[in-house]
């Protein structure tokens, strides 16, 4: 325990904080020179007779924000689940950093560095915000449950280290005020932010966000859009986001994939997608 | 009581002698004396990070040298905009040490407001906290030809910024380190050049009187003497725990945080975020809390609102505790202790079981020096805190001439703002005061004289009448030598019937109600009676309404619900009872929108801007005096991004004398 008035043992240096760690990448690499992080080839996924995802192939480039859009039931979440490992596609392959991960279970993929948030709320309502985010550090902890129960000195040391990272995430997402609050008591927008914080605590290389802004008001959306960009810019995390709100998508995404009826109907920059007839038709239903 | 103690002598040592006549010299003195003791703490990453006097001195030194190496000359102005954080304070001291003048802005000013102050003060460097503030500076930088650099201390979110004027706090300190190599002792020499009559601060007034704030010049004599007065009068103990929360843009924090913090000295604590202030106060066990009346009011509203949610047992315990506590506090303050029975009940039952835990929850358990500075506050509110044993004291002063009065000792009257404080003869002339016979205005001579407004000689000259400084505040003195604050000179009003009434008196008392956030009283020489425009508190009223199963959609809708109008009517009747019948409020209306400083309806310290409001709600006011029962208000709403919208609401006007239409 540290007594009041004594200098604290952990002296922080602002330049070391998460928000500035890594910093900007040196130069803006042109899109075609960027490394491919994740590659999906010819993914097919059917539920009974319904083709949820049909022959979809795409590449996720290092450090980009890629948005996946499409009307309801277009197969966006199903595609995300195929990448993440919740669903196993009947056909097709998924490569992560050139490694075939098609048959890996979700937790193995998470260990490789694929983090995700969910469309519905999948946070632990009974836990405090800190504990919830701490659970995101699970893969990085080395002590086993027995050691934790006895609470060896190195267990304590490990907890402090992870807590420090969690605090950096809290600082990053500006949720200091609710640190100790039970997640179940928070508003919808804040719970979503806690969900994102937990995914960030994993230190993911690639982040899959499934409708992060659904059900939020304009202010909450603006905040979250800012945080997504901050994560991408400062940590260099590659982000794939499924989103309905076209305004937000146009603002934050560098590239957009559009889906309809399980198929990929267009790929391109926001400007190209805006003027793409097929996409406009799919959205407005003009036949 | 704990206020008296051995510490009084220790403090005496800390007061500046003739040699220590500037704030930077005070910093040097404090560093030499206390060195390795903890001086500042800021909660970050969930922990209280600490800086010793030595460390603070180093930070200030290199930032100051950095500014010098950038080319800051003596007498030039540097502005700071941001929340209370250690860097904000370091920057202040660094500017002073380099011989510059510091201008501090409220972190929530809009870019046009900031531009006015930057332009008026001829700012050459702007020091910003983060991206939010940097964006404001970049937005207006083209209009500031003299601007040389924009310095920020929190680089987050600005990875893409390429503005050539931008520079980080750490980069400036790096410059300072290399500057020191070529110019050893430059920092110490610069401090030694400082004189008692240098002007280190230009403080922009909150501007209740006009749209544009005036820059008030403050010199070291002004700052050091005021700080000295307060330390002596309140018997502060060294190393008291202080939470810096009020903005240094307000002169009060310039004195309390930046000057007394070094002089006393304090342990200066900075909250993690503005929203975590209350838990942070509790964590550090703040011993001195300086809030504006607004902040005390919101604290009390919070307590009252929570009590509305409590069950009847809790509510009656609270009510009992408050009334017994009030009796005991009244006895203590008047020097005639309450009946022994009440005291036993208080000390054996209500204090340990109800009031102490409540005080603990508010984080005020260790607060031996809670101070309310700024405008007048309702006595009921004082009693709420006094009952808990929190000895809340009023303080009165003006940025122009420093702090003048404070509640001193153990016995004082809550209606007053306390007694005049003693000046330090090394720093200031003897203080003389009198009240004008006709108007009751307080006039001051001596002390640390008024230095004038920045670039406004006419306005400055107006404030001095025959060698006396005009405070524009109407005051009266009690038999005990304490001053009673009546009203702003310009605000004392007369009705067409010839009756005089003090509008603020009514407003401060009505604001004590948890349901009312703001009030503006109406009535002048053209009006036959007093009326009021009410701004309801949406949070507490929202909860009150929900409990009764009443459905509402928006703020305008909520404000016009008949049950809400009836509730407010009851609150006004309570205050009306203490007033003579001809100055009572006769009619009122609930405004369909909240007052907002962004729309110039309030000042940044949340004081009403009357003439502006009278203009904006002109139609409604006319309707009130035409005895109409309803008026369609159309209020323009300005959004932060520049869009302008309109809110149209049928606003009901209620007669207080008419019988109630809806039962509760």
């Amino acid at each position: 325990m540290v007594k009041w008035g004594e200098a604290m043992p952990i002296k922080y240096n602002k330049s070391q904080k998460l928000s500035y760690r890594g910093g900007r990448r040196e130069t803006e690499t042109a899109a075609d020179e960027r490394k491919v992080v994740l590659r999906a080839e010819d993914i097919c996924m059917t539920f009974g007779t319904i083709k949820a995802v049909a022959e979809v192939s795409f590449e996720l480039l290092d450090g980009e924000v890629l948005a996946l859009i499409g009307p309801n039931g277009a197969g966006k979440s199903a595609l995300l689940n195929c990448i993440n490992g919740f669903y196993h596609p009947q056909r097709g392959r998924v490569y992560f950093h050139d490694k075939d991960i098609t048959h890996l279970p979700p937790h193995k993929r998470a260990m490789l560095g694929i983090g995700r948030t969910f469309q519905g709320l999948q946070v632990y309502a009974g836990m405090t915000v800190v504990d919830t985010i701490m659970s995101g550090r699970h893969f990085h902890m080395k002590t086993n449950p027995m050691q934790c129960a006895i609470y060896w000195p190195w267990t304590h040391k490990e907890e402090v280290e992870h807590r420090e990272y969690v605090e950096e995430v809290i600082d990053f997402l500006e949720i200091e005020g609710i640190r100790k609050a039970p997640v179940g008591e928070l508003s919808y927008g804040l719970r979503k932010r806690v969900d994102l914080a937990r995914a960030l605590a994993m230190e993911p290389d690639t982040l899959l966000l499934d409708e992060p802004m659904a059900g939020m008001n304009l202010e909450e959306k603006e905040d979250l859009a800012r945080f997504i960009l901050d994560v991408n810019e400062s940590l260099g995390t590659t982000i794939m986001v499924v989103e309905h709100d076209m305004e937000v998508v146009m603002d934050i995404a560098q590239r957009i994939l559009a889906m309809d009826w399980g198929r990929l109907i267009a790929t391109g920059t926001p400007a190209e997608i805006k003027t793409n007839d097929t996409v406009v038709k799919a959205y407005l239903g003009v036949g | 009581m704990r206020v008296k103690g051995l510490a009084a002598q220790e403090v005496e040592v800390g007061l500046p002698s003739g040699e220590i006549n500037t704030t930077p010299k005070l910093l040097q003195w404090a560093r030499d004396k206390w060195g390795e003791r903890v001086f500042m703490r800021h909660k970050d990453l969930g922990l209280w990070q600490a800086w010793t006097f030595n460390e603070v001195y180093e930070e200030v030194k290199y930032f100051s040298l950095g500014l010098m190496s950038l080319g800051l000359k003596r007498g030039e102005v540097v502005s700071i905009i941001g929340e209370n954080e250690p860097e904000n304070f370091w920057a202040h001291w660094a500017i002073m040490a380099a011989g510059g003048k510091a201008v501090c802005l409220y972190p929530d000013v809009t870019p046009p407001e900031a531009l006015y102050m930057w332009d008026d003060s001829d700012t050459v460097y702007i020091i910003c906290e983060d991206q939010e503030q940097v964006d404001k500076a970049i937005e207006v930088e083209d209009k500031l030809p003299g601007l040389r650099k924009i310095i920020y201390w929190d680089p987050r979110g600005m990875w893409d910024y390429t503005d050539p004027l931008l520079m980080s706090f750490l980069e400036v300190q790096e410059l300072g380190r290399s500057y020191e190599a070529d110019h050893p002792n430059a920092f110490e020499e610069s401090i030694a050049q400082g004189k008692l009559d240098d002007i280190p601060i230009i403080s922009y007034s909150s501007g209740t009187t006009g749209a544009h704030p005036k820059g008030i010049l403050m010199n070291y004599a002004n700052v050091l003497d005021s700080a000295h007065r307060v330390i002596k009068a309140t018997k502060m103990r060294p190393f008291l725990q202080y939470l810096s929360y009020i903005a240094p843009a307000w002169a009060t924090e310039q004195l309390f945080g930046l000057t007394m913090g070094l002089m006393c000295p304090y342990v200066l604590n900075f909250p993690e975020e503005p929203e975590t202030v209350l838990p942070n106060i509790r964590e550090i066990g703040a011993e001195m809390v300086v809030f504006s009346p607004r902040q005390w009011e919101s604290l009390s509203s919070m307590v009252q609102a929570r009590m509305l949610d409590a069950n009847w047992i809790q509510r009656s315990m609270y009510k009992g505790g408050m009334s017994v506590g009030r009796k005991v506090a009244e006895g203590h303050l008047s020097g005639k202790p309450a009946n022994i029975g009440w005291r036993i009940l208080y000390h054996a039952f209500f204090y340990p079981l109800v009031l102490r835990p409540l005080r603990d929850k508010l984080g005020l358990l260790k607060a031996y020096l809670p101070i309310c500075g700024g405008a007048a506050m309702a006595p009921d509110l004082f009693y709420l805190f006094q009952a808990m044993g929190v000895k809340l004291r009023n303080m009165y002063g003006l940025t122009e001439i420093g702090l003048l009065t404070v509640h001193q000792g153990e016995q004082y009257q809550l209606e007053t703002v306390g007694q005049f404080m003693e000046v330090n003869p090394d720093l200031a002339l003897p203080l003389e005061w009198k009240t004008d016979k006709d108007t009751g205005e307080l006039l001051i001579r001596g002390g640390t004289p008024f230095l004038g407004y920045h670039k406004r000689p006419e306005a400055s000259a107006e404030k001095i009448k025959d060698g006396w400084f005009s405070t524009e505040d109407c005051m009266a003195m009690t038999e005990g030598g304490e001053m009673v604050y009546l009203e702003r000179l310009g605000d004392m009003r007369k009705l067409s019937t010839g009756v005089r009434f003090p509008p603020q008196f009514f407003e401060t008392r009505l604001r004590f109600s948890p349901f009312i956030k703001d009030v503006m009283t109406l009535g002048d020489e053209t009006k036959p009676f007093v009326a009021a425009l009410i701004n309801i508190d949406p949070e507490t009223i929202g909860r009150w309404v929900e409990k009764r199963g009443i459905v509402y959609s928006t703020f305008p809708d909520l404000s016009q619900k008949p049950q809400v109008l009836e509730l407010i009517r009851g609150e006004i009747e309570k205050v009306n009872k203490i007033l003579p019948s001809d100055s009572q409020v006769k009619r009122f209306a609930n405004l369909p929108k909240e007052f907002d400083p962004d729309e110039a309806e309030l000042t940044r310290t949340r004081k009403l801007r009357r003439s502006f409001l009278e203009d904006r709600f002109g139609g409604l006011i006319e309707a009130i005096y035409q005895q109409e029962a309803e008026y369609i208000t159309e209020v323009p709403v300005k959004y932060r991004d520049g869009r302008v919208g309109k809110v149209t609401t049928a606003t009901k006007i209620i007669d207080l004398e008419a019988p109630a239409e809806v039962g509760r």
Side-chain angles (χ1 to χ4, degrees):
Chain A
M1 279 297 287
V2 180
K3 277 190 197 152
W4 291 129
E6 279 173 28
M8 291 288 159
I10 302 169
K11 200 77 189 177
Y12 83 124
N13 178 350
K14 283 210 166 169
S15 57
Q16 280 175 5
K17 278 168 103 183
L18 173 80
S19 27
Y20 326 122
R21 193 181 286 165
R24 283 295 289 167
R25 36 204 74 240
E26 308 263 292
T27 45
E28 288 282 329
T29 16
D32 48 330
E33 287 169 26
R34 282 194 190 167
K35 236 174 62 199
V36 175
V37 175
L38 191 131
R39 199 169 70 241
E41 279 177 5
D42 199 25
I43 306 275
C44 286
M45 176 83 215
T46 48
F47 296 105
T49 51
I50 298 162
K51 268 197 171 179
V53 183
E55 295 144 32
V56 173
S57 303
F58 72 93
E59 285 176 344
L60 187 59
L61 303 176
D62 187 26
E64 74 173 342
V65 179
L66 176 76
L68 182 56
I69 62 168
N72 277 334
K76 304 182 299 286
S77 293
L79 179 60
L80 214 60
N81 285 335
C82 289
I83 297 166
N84 168 247
F86 275 114
Y87 296 163
H88 289 281
Q90 277 93 353
R91 222 173 71 203
R93 308 231 139 252
V94 183
Y95 297 93
F96 185 63
H97 285 291
D98 294 329
K99 184 178 163 26
D100 189 347
I101 57 165
T102 320
H103 297 295
L104 289 182
H107 72 274
K108 287 261 170 68
R109 300 192 198 201
M111 282 166 106
L112 289 173
I114 303 179
R116 82 166 283 182
T117 66
F118 295 87
Q119 185 178 356
L121 279 169
Q122 307 283 337
V123 284
Y124 317 118
M127 270 161 107
T128 64
V129 170
V130 160
D131 290 340
T132 305
I133 304 173
M134 205 69 171
S135 69
R137 300 294 296 167
H138 178 73
F139 290 132
H140 298 277
M141 293 184 187
K142 289 180 191 70
T143 47
N144 63 42
M146 208 50 215
Q147 288 168 321
C148 292
I150 302 168
Y151 207 64
W152 296 109
W154 53 87
T155 319
H156 173 72
K157 192 165 159 266
E158 188 180 40
E159 185 177 339
V160 170
E161 276 165 20
H162 289 298
R163 176 64 188 267
E164 203 181 341
Y165 194 86
V166 166
E167 284 294 338
E168 284 176 5
V169 173
I170 289 177
D171 182 70
F172 191 86
L173 293 179
E174 295 171 13
I175 45 179
E176 293 97 335
I178 55 163
R179 189 187 281 126
K180 298 272 169 67
V183 176
E185 281 182 9
L186 301 175
S187 69
Y188 186 73
L190 282 175
R191 278 194 231 186
K192 280 275 196 190
R193 220 189 277 182
V194 173
D195 193 13
L196 177 62
R198 184 180 53 186
L200 277 183
M202 263 180 58
E203 294 183 67
D205 170 283
T206 301
L207 200 52
L208 311 175
L209 306 174
D210 197 354
E211 302 209 14
M213 290 163 200
M216 284 191 173
N217 64 31
L218 184 65
E219 203 182 327
E220 287 171 333
K221 275 184 188 172
E222 281 174 354
D223 277 351
L224 200 68
R226 188 66 248 160
F227 286 127
I228 292 173
L229 286 178
D230 277 353
V231 169
N232 175 252
E233 284 179 10
S234 67
L235 307 174
T237 312
T238 309
I239 293 173
M240 181 164 171
V241 53
V242 172
E243 186 49 62
H244 264 309
D245 190 320
M246 289 305 281
E247 266 184 64
V248 175
V249 167
M250 294 292 166
D251 278 350
I252 66 173
Q254 289 144 18
R255 239 161 32 97
I256 295 178
L257 304 178
M259 281 180 83
D260 195 19
W261 298 111
R263 288 177 187 281
L264 210 56
I265 52 170
T267 333
T269 62
E272 288 165 9
I273 292 290
K274 226 181 217 167
T275 50
N276 186 308
D277 290 339
T278 336
V279 178
V280 174
K281 232 185 257 173
Y283 259 89
L284 300 177
V286 187
Chain B
M1 280 306 289
R2 294 175 61 192
V3 183
K4 298 166 191 158
L6 62 121
Q9 293 149 5
E10 237 183 293
V11 174
E12 210 67 48
V13 188
L15 298 175
S17 65
E19 280 163 35
I20 300 162
N21 56 5
T22 68
T23 310
K25 285 179 195 170
L26 200 58
L27 175 67
Q28 263 181 335
W29 166 86
R31 200 256 333 221
D32 292 344
K33 196 168 158 72
W34 308 109
E36 280 305 307
R37 286 194 71 155
V38 169
F39 178 36
M40 280 188 170
R41 289 197 309 217
H42 180 209
K43 195 169 184 189
D44 197 72
L45 299 184
L47 289 176
W48 287 95
Q49 316 283 347
W51 286 266
T52 63
F53 279 92
N54 284 334
E55 285 167 330
V56 170
Y57 185 81
E58 295 290 297
E59 299 279 1
V60 173
K61 177 177 173 178
Y62 291 114
F63 189 67
S64 181
L65 287 170
L67 289 175
M68 287 183 219
S69 104
L70 282 172
L72 175 70
K73 294 186 189 60
R74 294 193 85 80
E76 282 183 330
V77 176
V78 183
S79 292
I80 302 168
I81 178 165
E83 300 287 349
N84 294 26
E85 285 192 11
E87 285 87 348
N88 189 332
F89 275 44
W90 300 340
H92 270 97
W93 292 323
I95 295 163
M96 292 177 193
K101 294 176 185 151
V103 170
C104 189
L105 273 60
Y106 286 99
D108 56 352
V109 295
T110 58
E113 287 170 334
L115 172 66
Y116 174 80
M117 286 181 256
W118 286 331
D119 184 46
D120 185 65
S121 61
D122 301 317
T123 291
V124 291
Y125 299 103
I126 299 173
I127 301 169
C128 301
E129 180 192 354
D130 54 7
Q131 190 181 17
E132 182 189 350
Q133 311 299 352
V134 166
D135 285 347
K136 291 177 191 169
I138 289 179
E139 190 177 326
V140 299
E141 67 175 31
D142 297 342
K143 293 171 190 143
L144 296 165
L147 185 65
R148 293 184 221 141
K149 280 271 179 262
I150 299 168
I151 300 161
Y152 55 87
W153 69 77
D154 182 354
R156 181 162 163 195
M158 293 188 277
W159 304 283
D160 272 344
Y161 283 36
T162 51
D163 194 290
L165 294 185
L166 278 178
M167 199 172 197
S168 81
F169 199 88
L170 293 173
E171 280 167 354
V172 176
Q173 285 184 322
E174 273 315 305
L175 282 180
R177 287 198 177 85
S178 38
Y179 187 78
E180 192 194 24
D182 304 333
H183 307 79
N185 295 329
F187 181 65
E188 287 75 13
E189 279 160 21
S190 177
I191 290 181
Q193 280 181 46
K195 295 188 300 292
L196 189 64
D197 54 4
D198 280 354
I199 290 169
I201 298 159
I202 302 175
S203 176
Y204 277 83
S205 65
S206 44
T208 27
T209 37
H212 283 315
K214 292 188 283 249
I216 300 163
L217 304 174
M218 294 168 86
N219 67 12
Y220 284 120
N222 208 311
V223 178
L224 293 176
D225 183 47
S226 277
H228 173 270
R229 287 178 206 175
V230 176
I231 291 181
K232 266 197 109 167
T234 56
K235 299 191 174 64
M236 279 177 203
R237 290 198 296 266
F239 291 99
L240 61 77
Q241 296 289 346
Y242 175 74
L243 190 93
S244 175
Y245 169 56
I246 49 178
W250 189 23
T252 310
E253 182 64 7
Q254 291 280 355
L255 300 172
F256 272 85
L258 281 150
T259 317
M260 285 180 230
L262 283 169
M263 204 185 265
C264 185
Y266 306 158
V267 178
L268 281 168
N269 297 283
F270 297 90
E272 186 166 23
E273 292 291 319
E275 26 327 335
T276 61
V277 166
L278 287 180
N280 288 169
I281 284 186
R282 185 154 183 254
E283 280 167 27
I284 60 163
E287 292 168 297
M288 181 162 81
V289 182
V290 181
F291 278 167
S292 71
R294 276 322 161 112
Q295 288 153 346
W296 288 114
E297 277 164 14
S298 73
L299 210 56
S300 98
S301 302
M302 198 179 82
V303 174
Q304 297 186 53
R306 294 264 171 92
M307 286 326 295
L308 287 178
D309 283 348
N311 63 35
W312 69 271
I313 303 175
Q314 292 163 326
R315 252 203 318 264
S316 49
M317 284 287 274
Y318 167 79
K319 272 191 186 151
M322 275 296 152
S323 61
V324 173
R326 181 169 176 155
K327 279 196 177 74
V328 174
E330 272 171 358
H332 187 78
L333 288 168
S334 62
K336 284 171 258 163
N339 188 314
I340 183 87
W342 290 127
R343 275 184 291 156
I344 291 172
L345 198 58
Y346 178 77
H347 290 292
F349 185 74
F350 283 117
Y351 186 72
L353 287 177
V354 184
L355 300 169
R356 192 179 182 279
L358 178 60
R359 185 176 170 182
D360 186 22
K361 270 269 178 272
L362 296 177
L364 298 172
L365 209 51
K366 291 190 172 170
Y368 69 83
L369 208 54
I371 289 174
C372 167
M377 200 162 77
D380 276 342
L381 208 146
F382 268 93
Y383 277 119
L384 186 128
F385 291 104
Q386 293 279 348
M388 283 181 238
V390 177
K391 307 221 172 313
L392 191 55
R393 285 158 202 271
N394 245 335
M395 178 170 271
Y396 169 77
L398 292 132
T399 311
E400 285 92 335
I401 46 169
L403 296 170
L404 298 172
T405 68
V406 71
H407 277 143
Q408 297 173 34
E410 288 295 294
Q411 271 107 43
Y412 48 86
Q413 283 173 276
L414 296 180
E415 269 84 359
T416 70
V417 290
Q419 289 158 317
F420 273 96
M421 293 181 276
E422 276 175 50
V423 299
N424 181 341
D426 288 346
L427 297 167
L429 307 164
L431 192 67
E432 291 175 72
W433 64 272
K434 65 173 185 187
T435 49
D436 190 291
K437 277 194 198 76
D438 299 330
T439 57
E441 185 191 2
L442 180 72
L443 302 168
I444 303 283
R445 190 161 71 177
T448 45
F450 173 51
L451 300 167
Y453 296 114
H454 186 59
K455 292 201 215 160
R456 294 200 192 190
E458 319 82 56
S460 313
E462 274 173 28
K463 294 294 275 183
I464 307 285
K465 290 173 197 156
D466 311 323
W468 291 84
F469 176 81
S470 124
T471 60
E472 290 182 45
D473 286 326
C474 296
M475 300 275 247
M477 195 184 207
T478 64
E479 284 169 10
E482 292 180 51
M483 303 303 294
V484 184
Y485 180 91
L486 296 174
E487 192 71 70
R488 288 291 289 173
L489 182 64
D491 291 339
M492 199 73 187
R493 310 258 199 97
K494 218 180 203 174
L495 295 174
S496 60
T497 51
V499 176
R500 275 167 80 98
F501 77 100
Q504 267 197 31
F505 180 90
F506 182 80
E507 286 165 16
T508 48
R509 275 153 189 81
L510 207 50
R511 271 206 309 265
F512 180 68
S513 158
F515 302 113
I516 294 172
K517 201 165 187 185
D518 266 303
V519 194
M520 184 167 98
T521 37
L522 305 167
D524 54 36
E525 276 149 23
T526 59
K527 315 261 161 61
F529 59 86
V530 185
L533 297 180
I534 306 283
N535 220 190
I536 58 166
D537 189 325
E539 221 173 283
T540 43
I541 295 226
R543 219 175 300 162
W544 184 86
V545 157
E546 259 169 44
K547 267 195 155 179
R548 278 154 189 79
I550 304 162
V551 188
Y552 69 97
S553 57
T554 53
F555 183 86
D557 178 37
L558 177 65
S559 71
Q560 301 308 321
K561 286 272 171 224
Q563 294 92 336
V564 172
L565 288 166
E566 200 47 47
L567 174 73
I568 298 296
R569 177 197 159 102
E571 295 293 312
I572 296 179
E573 271 168 358
K574 273 190 222 161
V575 179
N576 262 352
K577 274 184 203 147
I578 8 178
L579 289 166
S581 67
D582 46 2
S583 55
Q584 281 177 1
V585 172
K586 299 281 189 303
R587 308 193 83 198
F588 78 95
N590 280 351
L591 286 177
K593 81 174 274 298
E594 283 187 88
F595 290 148
D596 187 351
D598 282 347
E599 291 171 41
E601 291 169 334
L602 296 173
T603 67
R604 292 282 159 201
T605 46
R606 296 196 69 88
K607 292 179 194 159
L608 297 179
R609 292 170 82 151
R610 283 168 198 283
S611 48
F612 180 83
L613 286 168
E614 275 168 20
D615 204 39
R616 171 165 272 191
F617 296 106
L620 177 63
I621 293 171
E622 208 168 289
I624 289 176
Y625 286 99
Q626 298 294 329
Q627 300 291 350
E628 281 165 32
E630 197 176 85
Y631 177 76
I632 310 291
T633 41
E634 259 188 16
V635 182
V637 180
K638 221 192 292 166
Y639 299 102
R640 273 303 264 277
D641 59 2
R643 282 178 296 148
V644 178
K646 224 173 220 181
V647 181
T648 312
T649 320
T651 309
K652 296 193 185 81
I653 301 167
I654 306 296
D655 271 307
L656 276 145
E657 277 151 12
E661 282 166 30
V662 183
R664 263 185 243 175

